[in-house]
Amino acid sequence: MFAPSQDDVRRFFCGVHASARSGQPLDALQTLASQWLLEHPEYDPDLADAEAAIARVYDGSNGRSNPFLHLSMHLSISEQCSIDQPRGIRQAVELLAARRGSLHEAHHEAMECLGRMLWESQRGGRRAVPPPGGCREAGRSSIAR
């Protein structure tokens, strides 16, 4: 299993940012990451200097979210949808995207669900599990709003 460190993740996104801006060829994962970087130009300053990014602490105390966590979640959801794991996530995200008119907005709703699951599992000291009914049900409830 691939388990990059925090520094690895930050270097990856900073490297993709630099390569994409300079027009260098990108592999498949870098291309996917660059597409999400384009959706978040507000992160450009965070991605411009890899060493500063590695040293920076994103603890929410200054009201800013962690751009590397956010972008990693976009990649994770993209991967989950590509293999439909957990089963039903692809359909749930596609339905949300159609309803919201934006894949980006659908990802953000899926992130809320994932973030809630992770927070609850960490708080309770247990494994993260999907809500009752899984992602499909979570998607349906978001679609109904």
Side-chain angles (χ1 to χ4, degrees), residues 74-87:
H74 273 301
L75 286 183
S76 177
I77 293 166
S78 295
E79 175 65 15
Q80 288 176 305
C81 289
S82 76
I83 61 172
D84 200 28
Q85 286 295 323
R87 203 172 104 231

Side-chain angles (χ1 to χ4, degrees), residues 15-26:
V16 169
H17 180 262
S19 294
R21 289 198 170 261
S22 66
Q24 294 177 18
L26 304 173

Side-chain angles (χ1 to χ4, degrees), residues 134-145:
C135 289
R136 187 182 309 249
E137 288 302 313
R140 282 190 190 129
S141 65
S142 291
I143 292 166
R145 287 186 282 184

Side-chain angles (χ1 to χ4, degrees), residues 13 36-37 39-40 42-43 65-81 89 92-93 96 103-120 131 135 138-139 142 145:
F13 282 112
W36 289 115
L37 293 177
E39 293 286 338
H40 287 286
E42 71 275 19
Y43 295 155
S65 63
N66 182 333
F68 301 99
L69 174 61
H70 186 86
L71 293 166
S72 294
M73 289 181 81
H74 273 301
L75 286 183
S76 177
I77 293 166
S78 295
E79 175 65 15
Q80 288 176 305
C81 289
I89 192 168
V93 171
L96 275 171
L103 178 61
H104 191 215
E105 291 305 315
H107 267 232
H108 284 184
E109 288 194 42
M111 281 181 204
E112 287 296 319
C113 180
L114 289 172
R116 199 169 32 251
M117 284 172 36
L118 291 171
W119 182 80
E120 288 173 3
C135 289
S142 291
R145 287 186 282 184

